Amino acid sequence: CAADSKVNIVDLRTHVTQTADKPLYSLVMELEIPGSETVGHFQQKLNQLKSELKVDITLNASDMDEL
């Protein structure tokens, strides 16, 4: 998915939160999406991956000024 789109992983963080039932594993990635790839098209690829892996995936755009 990301490799096909030539997306660059800039930062990667993991976190485990203990809930009443079981642990919740989180993975946060900061990505650079190349100009040839639209965010909407990349979101469609993530939605397909989400279904295949049976996980939750959220994509949020950030303004470079925030970084």
Side-chain angles (χ1 to χ4, degrees):
C1 179
D4 294 342
S5 300
K6 306 285 191 246
V7 169
N8 185 32
I9 299 173
V10 177
D11 189 21
L12 184 122
R13 296 178 303 277
T14 61
H15 183 74
V16 179
T17 305
Q18 189 63 44
T19 63
D21 298 335
K22 55 188 169 188
L24 172 66
Y25 297 92
S26 300
L27 171 69
V28 177
M29 290 190 289
E30 181 182 332
L31 306 173
E32 290 179 346
I33 300 174
S36 61
E37 178 81 46
T38 66
V39 174
H41 188 249
F42 187 67
Q43 179 69 60
Q44 288 176 344
K45 291 179 181 181
L46 288 178
N47 288 339
Q48 182 180 4
L49 185 62
K50 177 180 174 176
S51 296
E52 291 173 11
L53 297 177
K54 296 180 174 56
V55 297
D56 288 328
I57 297 177
T58 304
L59 178 66
N60 296 312
S62 67
D63 189 356
M64 288 302 293
D65 293 336
E66 293 176 16
L67 305 174

